[in-house]
Amino acid sequence: MEEKREDSLQEVAAAGKGERRGGFLGEALFLARRHVVFLSLVAFIAVMPFWAKPLSKPLGIPLVMVMRLVGIYTIVAVGLNILMGYAGQISLGHGAFFGIGAYTSAILTVKAHFPPWLGIIMAVLVAIAFGFLVAPVLRLKGHYLAMATLGVGIVLFVFLREMTWLTGGNDGIRNIPPLSLPGMRIGEARDYLRAEYYFIWVIALIVLLLCSNLVRSRLGRAMRALHQSEVAAEVMGVNVSWEKIKVFVLSTALAGLAGGIFAHVQGYIDPNLFTIVLSIQLVTMVVVGGMESIWGAVAGAGLITFIPKIVEALPKWLGEVPRWVEKYSNYEGMVFGLILVLTMIFMPAGITRGLSDMVRYRRSPFVNPFRKKAME
Amino acid sequence: MNVARTAGGTEGGAPGFAPGEHLLAAESLTKTFGGLAAVKNVSFMVRKEAIKAIIGPNGAGKTTLYDLLTGIYEPDEGSVIFEEKSLLGLPPHRICAMGVARTFQTVRIFSQMTVQENVMVGLHKSTSSGMVGCSLRLPRARREEAWIAEEATRYLDLVGLEMQADSPAGSLPYGQQRLLEMARALATRPKLLLLDEPASGLNAYETRELGELIYRIRDMGITVLLVEHDMGLVMRISEEVLVLDYGEVIAEGTPEEVRNDPRVIEAYLGSELE
């Protein structure tokens, strides 16, 4: 490799990174190798509905229906993971941007009779606009940023609830038209659940692919650099404040996209769906799934969406729940919390990191929290 | 103050400043932190393609001076002219784009990224693919990415870290982290490189290597400003020395002149300058 320095610069670079360039085929091969995870996910998503149907009944969980939600949350969680995991900027207000997307599309389709696909595009644009509007809070750091984004979320929630003439207030908006594309019925198709499922996951997978490209690009490096040292990144020529705004707006755009789809899948929205609870759930997806990992967003969205369903279904599996458990009316919440606490103790870097470490280094995916850590 | 500055000065603060000869001219820079003047009325110039050292006891304001030059702090008073353009009020990334790069006294590498990625960040400003290009991997973005990787390898070769390209930067020993910082700074293609104690933590052999490296950097046409405590290195490689004490310039001149300056000897209590 050393003697061939004079070869074309692409080859040198490619050799260094184990990449190959040139031509469509080369790119396709390169993508295939780099995206093993992605391709297996595509395969899984593609066949899931076929074996899900016979499985749903005995499990007591409508798998395809829940997976639709997982897809929607994946779209938000990817954006939030780039913002939090890569760029290191926390947001406790993304539930509100999700809500803005949902309301934009709902209002435009119900009141102005936009077609749903156009409503969803408008949802993205409005979320982008709000993202820019809120972006000045990114001057704050750490806890202060967390507090400020929390405040933003609350303010936007209050607007959704109080602007009754536009949003219908606490009554929400009903009869939101189901998903459709020009010349294609999705939400009114015969097997509408499956159609929606595929529609959502095609979008989610495209988002995942684009985001995984993004984080490996110069912009991804700039984000990770400013995460680790803002001063050093800035002095190295990275326009830190602008890069932060870009990544924040990207994440609000994805939240808007997901929210727009959500409105049409649900058919009914009200402000209480988009409170701080949702924001915290989204952050939990990112953290449990694994920070600084695109696939962590999928894992986190899947886990956080499925756990409550599984907990709900537990009585069916076990036949009967003991009386003393039943007395705690909110035991689902307790199990949910317990699982989160255990994940954070034993897999502090998130489940995707734990699992990838297990595959790559052949070691336990769990961390011993009692082991003494070396001094940093 | 003026007396002090001219004490050893041949060049510094000389009235006959011909534009074009000097890359950087700082004029009466002052920065106060809560009543304490970290840098007080400091003026100096740096000739093109020179190696100039800034020395002084701990707390003399050397690093603060760097922070003023790179835009991390804005001076309370004074001006900084770089290539006949003022740097005052510009954010650090703009100053970097104009050709001023620096390293840090306490290493600030991106420790969670690989060695090569660190240098690639330095090349960020030389490329311009946006979000759309990067996420779709458009041809231009791919070409840029390949170019970035190749350039980064070149800079790693220069400082001798090519073998560690794929290790996490945080796993490097301290001395190599300093070299990595230099490679990263060089990747921004500076005209002026500000080194902040590059020899601290290095052994005698590594320090000599560092001297060679600084010469090589200068031969690339890059002007080097050097804050350093290792007097052996300073006296050997620098053409001019600026001495600070309590934020003020107490001497400026060739290494010989500075070495024999009574005020410098007093500031150092004769301990380090033999």
Side-chain angles (χ1 to χ4, degrees):
Chain A
M1 204 197 293
E2 285 294 322
E3 307 91 76
K4 291 186 185 162
R5 262 302 120 93
E6 295 79 29
D7 284 12
S8 67
L9 56 110
Q10 289 97 333
E11 287 210 6
V12 179
K17 298 281 286 176
E19 293 178 6
R20 173 163 290 136
R21 270 177 38 87
F24 177 75
L25 192 68
E27 172 73 3
L29 268 174
F30 162 66
L31 283 178
R33 204 173 327 146
R34 192 167 84 174
H35 293 298
V36 181
V37 184
F38 179 72
L39 292 176
S40 14
L41 184 66
V42 170
F44 174 79
I45 294 299
V47 301
M48 220 248 5
F50 296 100
W51 53 259
K53 216 160 217 177
L55 215 60
S56 291
K57 200 152 267 170
L59 279 179
I61 303 171
L63 287 177
V64 176
M65 204 163 129
V66 179
M67 279 302 283
R68 285 180 325 168
L69 281 182
V70 173
I72 290 173
Y73 288 133
T74 296
I75 297 173
V76 205
V78 171
L80 198 55
N81 199 328
I82 295 182
L83 179 69
M84 286 174 56
Y86 287 86
Q89 310 299 314
I90 193 170
S91 170
L92 291 175
H94 264 53
F97 292 104
F98 187 82
I100 285 174
Y103 265 94
T104 304
S105 200
I107 290 168
L108 287 178
T109 47
V110 171
K111 300 198 173 168
H113 305 292
F114 277 46
W117 61 270
L118 191 57
I120 293 171
I121 291 174
M122 294 305 293
V124 175
L125 295 180
V126 171
I128 287 176
F130 271 92
F132 274 115
L133 200 68
V134 170
V137 302
L138 291 166
R139 286 163 179 272
L140 303 170
K141 293 192 176 89
H143 302 314
Y144 302 101
L145 180 61
M147 294 301 289
T149 51
L150 184 69
V152 166
I154 292 170
V155 169
L156 291 176
F157 164 73
V158 171
F159 270 110
L160 290 182
R161 199 185 54 195
E162 299 302 327
M163 286 168 65
T164 344
W165 58 275
L166 187 64
T167 63
N170 262 331
D171 295 338
I173 297 180
R174 280 160 209 287
N175 302 323
I176 302 168
L179 284 176
S180 69
L181 285 174
M184 202 173 157
R185 289 191 300 175
I186 294 171
E188 288 166 322
R190 197 167 45 82
D191 194 350
Y192 72 94
L193 277 182
R194 196 182 280 191
E196 284 177 351
Y197 165 91
Y198 280 121
F199 175 83
I200 290 165
W201 274 101
V202 165
I203 293 179
L205 289 171
I206 291 174
V207 167
L208 281 169
L209 186 64
L210 296 186
C211 286
S212 85
N213 283 338
L214 183 70
V215 297
R216 294 184 213 219
S217 70
R218 62 189 284 273
L219 295 176
R221 279 192 299 274
M223 291 171 207
R224 291 162 62 205
L226 72 89
H227 183 180
Q228 290 170 50
S229 170
E230 278 191 23
V231 174
E234 176 84 27
V235 168
M236 290 304 125
V238 177
N239 187 345
V240 168
S241 41
W242 176 233
E243 294 296 332
K244 279 195 211 170
I245 291 175
K246 278 202 290 192
V247 61
F248 183 75
V249 171
L250 171 73
S251 71
T252 62
L254 289 176
L257 172 64
I261 298 173
F262 178 80
H264 296 288
V265 169
Q266 294 298 97
Y268 163 75
I269 52 173
D270 73 57
N272 296 313
L273 293 168
F274 311 113
T275 56
I276 175 72
V277 177
L278 176 62
S279 296
I280 289 174
Q281 262 186 334
L282 294 173
V283 170
T284 318
M285 287 176 194
V286 172
V287 176
V288 169
M291 301 267 264
E292 226 182 307
S293 154
I294 291 297
W295 313 112
V298 189
L303 202 71
I304 301 300
T305 316
F306 263 103
I307 287 178
K309 308 287 176 195
I310 294 173
V311 174
E312 247 173 69
L314 271 182
K316 285 186 206 156
W317 297 359
L318 302 176
E320 225 171 286
V321 178
R323 180 59 60 83
W324 63 269
V325 172
E326 228 168 324
K327 267 203 239 160
Y328 293 99
S329 57
N330 195 18
Y331 77 100
E332 292 103 328
M334 283 171 58
V335 176
F336 184 68
L338 190 66
I339 291 175
L340 289 189
V341 170
L342 291 178
T343 320
M344 282 298 94
I345 290 177
F346 292 103
M347 287 176 151
I351 46 178
T352 37
R353 177 67 63 80
L355 292 177
S356 75
D357 276 6
M358 179 174 73
V359 174
R360 204 175 299 164
Y361 307 115
R362 310 273 147 122
R363 68 169 186 225
S364 157
F366 303 110
V367 169
N368 178 357
F370 302 110
R371 200 190 65 196
K372 281 211 174 109
K373 287 198 186 78
M375 297 283 283
E376 285 276 317
Chain B
M1 185 52 220
N2 278 325
V3 181
R5 198 171 66 238
T6 49
T10 49
E11 197 77 57
F17 163 57
E21 247 178 72
H22 292 88
L23 188 65
L24 179 84
E27 189 64 42
S28 47
L29 283 178
T30 301
K31 179 72 188 175
T32 322
F33 292 112
L36 188 81
V39 170
K40 201 154 71 192
N41 205 19
V42 169
S43 305
F44 66 97
M45 297 188 193
V46 184
R47 263 189 300 119
K48 266 186 187 149
E49 295 182 30
I51 299 177
K52 181 162 188 159
I54 300 176
I55 62 170
N58 286 324
K62 305 178 298 273
T63 298
T64 308
L65 185 59
Y66 270 16
D67 290 344
L68 295 179
L69 296 180
T70 51
I72 292 174
Y73 295 131
E74 220 172 305
D76 302 333
E77 278 170 47
S79 67
V80 183
I81 307 292
F82 178 75
E83 287 201 308
E84 294 159 57
K85 277 172 270 181
S86 172
L87 296 186
L88 278 197
L90 293 183
H93 70 268
R94 291 280 308 280
I95 292 178
C96 171
M98 289 174 73
V100 182
R102 71 173 286 184
T103 65
F104 295 91
Q105 186 182 357
T106 48
V107 183
R108 293 195 195 201
I109 52 166
F110 309 122
S111 50
Q112 309 284 316
M113 296 166 80
T114 70
V115 168
Q116 190 180 23
E117 282 175 330
N118 265 268
V119 181
M120 288 164 107
V121 173
L123 290 152
H124 179 85
K125 73 168 188 67
S126 309
T127 49
S128 59
S129 298
M131 279 219 172
V132 176
C134 287
S135 54
L136 292 174
R137 283 176 58 76
L138 295 180
R140 195 171 79 100
R142 275 190 278 160
R143 267 200 306 278
E144 273 189 359
E145 197 65 13
W147 177 82
I148 289 174
E150 190 238 1
E151 283 286 296
T153 318
R154 275 208 355 224
Y155 288 107
L156 287 178
D157 277 344
L158 181 73
V159 300
L161 285 177
E162 66 279 7
M163 301 300 286
Q164 285 95 327
D166 292 327
S167 5
S171 73
L172 292 184
Y174 193 60
Q176 292 191 341
Q177 294 192 359
R178 290 202 168 281
L179 289 177
L180 175 58
E181 261 204 341
M182 285 173 73
R184 187 180 67 180
L186 287 171
T188 67
R189 306 212 215 158
K191 293 167 186 146
L192 174 67
L193 177 63
L194 312 178
L195 297 174
D196 202 343
E197 300 195 16
S200 83
L202 301 190
N203 63 32
Y205 173 75
E206 288 169 332
T207 305
R208 191 157 315 141
E209 297 261 285
L210 176 72
E212 295 299 314
L213 177 60
I214 294 175
Y215 276 136
R216 248 180 292 149
I217 291 169
R218 199 265 314 269
D219 292 343
M220 289 161 65
I222 298 169
T223 309
V224 178
L225 200 57
L226 172 76
V227 161
E228 186 48 67
H229 279 303
D230 185 322
M231 285 307 144
L233 180 69
V234 167
M235 294 301 160
R236 200 168 65 243
I237 69 168
S238 47
E239 290 148 27
E240 278 186 309
V241 181
L242 178 80
V243 191
L244 294 185
D245 194 16
Y246 294 107
E248 293 182 71
V249 177
I250 59 169
E252 185 175 10
T254 64
E256 305 305 314
E257 290 167 329
V258 165
R259 196 199 303 253
N260 300 319
D261 191 293
R263 291 198 51 171
V264 178
I265 296 171
E266 188 197 344
Y268 274 94
L269 291 169
S271 58
E272 285 180 67
L273 290 166
E274 274 121 40

